[in-house]
Amino acid sequence: MQKFRSHCESSHICKIMWSHQSVLVFQTQNWHSMARTCPITNNSVSMSSSLSSPLFNSSWFSNTELSYVNQGEAALREALGILQQQNGWQTETYQGKGELVLSTVLPRLGKVFRMETVLDVPVDQLYYELFEKLEQMPEWNPTLSRVKILQRIGKDTLLTHEITAQHPGNLIGQRDFVSVRHCWKKETTVYLVGTATHSEFMPMQKGQVRAESGLSCIVLQPLEGDQRHTRFTWLLCMDLKGWIPKSIINRLVPQSQADFIRYLRQHLSTTAHP
């Protein structure tokens, strides 16, 4: 097990990625008190409300493009439902800087991890880094070798291809992902969601294992009383494919989420507000 953990940073489970992209309160508060601070409640989000931008005109896009939008919105609805669940979560890890990782098991997705922390930058800066500057992510996240936007559908939906970095001694090996990414803004909160898809623009690549993101959803919300800080919630579940047992993946994901936040913090500390 120690050998797998020693290669955790090169396992590339954090594809964003937010792939590739944890909101409540941590440190001295327990889960029940944190649940009351969750930004997603039955009152704050209407599941029947429109998830598309009011400027989105479906007549401008092909059926294939609209299917990507629909996939993104479906993933968002699923994520909103999960975020509203207050029961069934158990603690996986707690890091010194306040990164708390919880998990639960759901019928379709399997094990879903939920990371929660606070970052010392405003929401708009994080949105800019994690969505608008997505292709630049490998510059500060060493687990990625490339992130490419294959197609933009409107201003809120992206079709992307990500390739993890290859490091000597990496037992898991290189993976690539094809994903739909969708952004939704609700008042001051931003939701960045992603899920695996298929595209004629990026068929299976020789020598690479095509992994899949079952669901990734990052929620960015201004800290109450201090909008210079952001509550950051990250739902993540994925299938790395290949020979890796689920038990190993489930042990590596929480640490990988923490690693991603560490790289993001380092990057933000040297980046001026856009």
Side-chain angles (χ1 to χ4, degrees), residues 56-67:
F56 184 85
N57 188 333
S58 62
S59 65
W60 297 344
F61 303 100
S62 68
N63 289 337
T64 299
E65 291 169 330
L66 291 176
S67 72

Side-chain angles (χ1 to χ4, degrees), residues 17-191:
M17 283 171 245
W18 346 321
S19 66
H20 136 354
Q21 266 94 33
S22 312
V23 192
L24 299 177
V25 183
F26 8 102
Q27 297 183 350
T28 59
Q29 294 180 294
N30 60 31
W31 162 243
H32 297 289
S33 64
M34 288 192 299
R36 292 193 295 269
T37 69
C38 179
I40 302 170
T41 65
N42 291 328
N43 294 328
S44 63
V45 175
S46 171
M47 296 298 290
S48 62
S49 61
S50 174
L51 301 182
S52 295
S53 166
L55 300 179
F56 184 85
N57 188 333
S58 62
S59 65
W60 297 344
F61 303 100
S62 68
N63 289 337
T64 299
E65 291 169 330
L66 291 176
S67 72
Y68 292 136
V69 175
N70 291 336
Q71 289 174 52
E73 292 187 350
L76 176 58
R77 290 189 181 91
E78 185 171 33
L80 292 176
I82 296 170
L83 288 162
Q84 292 185 70
Q85 295 182 17
Q86 297 185 6
N87 299 320
W89 297 94
Q90 62 181 13
T91 300
E92 292 283 340
T93 65
Y94 177 79
Q95 303 291 326
K97 287 192 175 182
E99 287 91 21
L100 174 66
V101 180
L102 309 169
S103 70
T104 191
V105 177
L106 299 175
R108 186 186 75 83
L109 295 170
K111 198 161 191 178
V112 178
F113 296 87
R114 172 176 181 152
M115 184 178 200
E116 304 165 357
T117 193
V118 168
L119 296 173
D120 299 335
V121 293
V123 167
D124 59 346
Q125 185 175 356
L126 284 169
Y127 162 77
Y128 188 69
E129 292 290 343
L130 300 179
F131 196 78
E132 296 297 335
K133 296 177 64 178
L134 189 64
E135 290 187 323
Q136 298 178 37
M137 193 174 291
E139 296 177 7
W140 54 266
N141 183 354
T143 68
L144 295 171
S145 65
R146 190 183 79 157
V147 177
K148 178 69 175 177
I149 297 175
L150 302 176
Q151 192 173 8
R152 291 182 181 270
I153 303 100
K155 70 182 188 67
D156 296 325
T157 305
L158 307 174
L159 179 65
T160 66
H161 180 235
E162 307 91 32
I163 304 176
T164 62
Q166 182 73 294
H167 294 288
N170 173 29
L171 298 179
I172 291 180
Q174 197 170 38
R175 296 291 192 272
D176 77 331
F177 300 80
V178 174
S179 305
V180 168
R181 298 178 184 271
H182 186 71
C183 173
W184 184 53
K185 297 181 180 180
K186 175 71 172 179
E187 299 176 350
T188 60
T189 302
V190 176
Y191 300 82

